[in-house]
């Protein structure tokens, strides 16, 4: 059985887990091609304009997989079983969004219900389609989780972003002149078309990048304990906890926050962190992306930010 995975949104972060799980179940995994402008244009015509660009590009990936003739397309329902902790409504309702926007997917969606808390991925409900006997699928889930947790452990141990940890080898890092905390949802950072390669751009400007997957969970949680009110969004909570840790880290020269236009959770978390950064006098750059974002514009802003950080370091060194 050929099962397609849309190579963006949830797969920008959890692709290693899902590929391992499906292969353990005996399926042939088919990835959609890398994101591009044509996908965003096609996908954006199928849903209301107020949807964020990651969902628009996701719809384009679904169309691409249909054209590749796969038997089923993986669209998990992301959920949480932790009190006062929720995924974005678009993630929870993603299978229905796809089903009603693209009628050709009727009967061709693989929809496991999944709880993602920390590094562990738990299937609350197995896919309705019989990929394998239930006991076999549970074993596949355990093996996929073990491989996934090893991958995240490598991120923390070697200070790698997830795409680097997925590669067997990587170029030797040069001497970094700056240390920058990079914040943003995985699909905003690791889908190269959405992010326009922001992590690589920062590295090219002589910065070493620190992200949430390089931190132990207790450090992320530490900053959240002092809050008077809970943060209800699942991944927004991770970003806020990571951001508060970055703000308190004297070894970091600055913070870059990458968001997409129209993101509800980001409207809270981004504002919160920007106010905290101003109060603590920590350099903070916010980049808002949509389908009209220009590569040269982002490059100019990142160069200016890094130049400012370098000048500040030189001033303090005198």
């Amino acid at each position: 059985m050929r099962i397609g995975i849309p190579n963006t949104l949830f797969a920008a972060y959890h692709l290693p887990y899902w590929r391992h799980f499906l292969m353990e179940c005996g399926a042939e995994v088919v990835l959609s091609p890398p994101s591009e402008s044509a996908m965003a244009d096609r996908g954006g015509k199928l849903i209301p304009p107020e949807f964020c660009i990651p969902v628009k590009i996701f719809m384009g990936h679904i169309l691409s997989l249909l054209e590749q003739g796969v038997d089923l397309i993986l669209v998990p329902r992301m959920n949480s079983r932790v009190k006062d902790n929720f995924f974005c409504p678009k993630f929870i309702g993603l299978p229905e969004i796809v089903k009603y926007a693209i009628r050709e997917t009727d009967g061709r969606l693989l929809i496991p219900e999944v709880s993602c808390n920390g590094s562990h991925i738990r299937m609350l409900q197995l896919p309705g389609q019989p990929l394998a006997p239930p006991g076999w699928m549970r074993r596949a889930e355990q093996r996929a989780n073990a491989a996934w947790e090893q991958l995240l452990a490598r991120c923390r141990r070697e200070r790698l972003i997830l795409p680097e940890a997925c590669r067997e080898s990587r170029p030797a890092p040069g001497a970094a002149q700056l240390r920058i905390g990079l914040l943003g949802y995985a699909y905003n950072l690791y889908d190269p078309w959405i992010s326009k390669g922001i992590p690589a751009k920062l590295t090219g400007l002589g910065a070493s990048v620190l992200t949430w997957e390089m931190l132990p969970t207790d450090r992320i949680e530490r900053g959240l304990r002092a809050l008077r009110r809970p943060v209800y969004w699942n991944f927004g909570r991770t970003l806020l906890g990571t951001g508060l840790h970055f703000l308190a880290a004297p070894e970091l020269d600055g913070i870059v926050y990458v968001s997409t236009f129209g993101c509800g959770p980001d409207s809270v978390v981004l504002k919160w962190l920007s106010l905290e950064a101003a109060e603590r006098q920590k350099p903070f750059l916010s980049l808002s992306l949509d389908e009209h974002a220009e590569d040269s514009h982002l490059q100019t802003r990142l160069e200016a930010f890094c130049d400012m950080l370098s000048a500040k370091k030189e001033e303090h060194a005198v």
Side-chain angles (χ1 to χ4, degrees), residues 144-165:
N145 255 312
W148 172 243
E149 288 171 6
Q150 285 179 7
L151 188 64
L152 293 183
R154 187 185 178 203
C155 289
R156 293 189 292 270
R157 185 175 62 251
E158 301 180 29
R159 291 293 180 94
L160 302 175
I161 61 174
L162 188 69
E164 291 175 336

Side-chain angles (χ1 to χ4, degrees), residues 83-98:
K83 184 181 178 183
D84 294 333
N85 192 289
F86 306 96
F87 273 86
C88 168
K90 295 181 181 69
F91 266 89
I92 298 172
L94 196 58
E96 282 71 34
I97 294 172
V98 172

Side-chain angles (χ1 to χ4, degrees), residues 98-281:
V98 172
K99 188 186 305 181
Y100 292 108
I102 307 175
R103 296 292 181 177
E104 295 86 347
T105 60
D106 189 28
R108 297 176 67 181
L109 296 182
L110 186 67
I111 311 174
E113 186 174 352
V114 178
S115 174
C116 303
N117 299 305
S119 62
H120 191 76
I121 300 173
R122 178 182 165 218
M123 288 203 195
L124 303 171
Q125 182 176 332
L126 290 170
Q129 289 82 352
L131 298 178
W136 191 290
M137 284 197 284
R138 285 300 181 194
R139 284 194 295 274
E141 179 188 6
Q142 291 169 2
R143 291 168 182 165
N145 255 312
W148 172 243
E149 288 171 6
Q150 285 179 7
L151 188 64
L152 293 183
R154 187 185 178 203
C155 289
R156 293 189 292 270
R157 185 175 62 251
E158 301 180 29
R159 291 293 180 94
L160 302 175
I161 61 174
L162 188 69
E164 291 175 336
C166 291
R167 294 195 287 267
E168 291 295 325
S169 60
R170 66 185 184 114
Q177 300 171 339
L178 299 170
R179 299 195 70 193
I180 293 177
L182 181 60
L183 295 169
Y185 293 96
Y187 44 83
N188 291 339
L189 297 182
Y190 302 146
D191 183 313
W193 184 82
I194 294 176
S195 74
K196 304 296 186 287
I198 285 173
K201 281 179 167 54
L202 287 170
T203 303
L205 292 169
S208 66
V209 169
L210 190 67
T211 61
W212 76 91
E213 68 258 52
M214 301 178 191
L215 298 179
T217 304
D218 63 318
R219 288 195 196 172
I220 296 173
E221 291 291 327
R222 194 178 302 158
L224 296 170
R225 293 190 192 113
L227 301 180
R228 289 178 294 176
R229 294 178 180 273
V231 179
Y232 296 106
W233 303 114
N234 182 286
F235 200 71
R237 191 173 188 278
T238 298
L239 288 182
L240 181 58
T242 303
L244 293 172
H245 172 79
F246 286 171
L247 288 171
E251 68 273 15
L252 286 183
D253 299 298
I255 298 171
V256 174
Y257 195 115
V258 181
S259 65
T260 49
F261 182 76
C263 177
D266 263 354
S267 66
V268 176
V269 176
L270 173 57
K271 185 66 175 178
W272 196 327
L273 288 175
S274 65
L275 291 173
E276 286 283 341
E279 186 174 323
R280 303 188 195 197
Q281 297 186 323

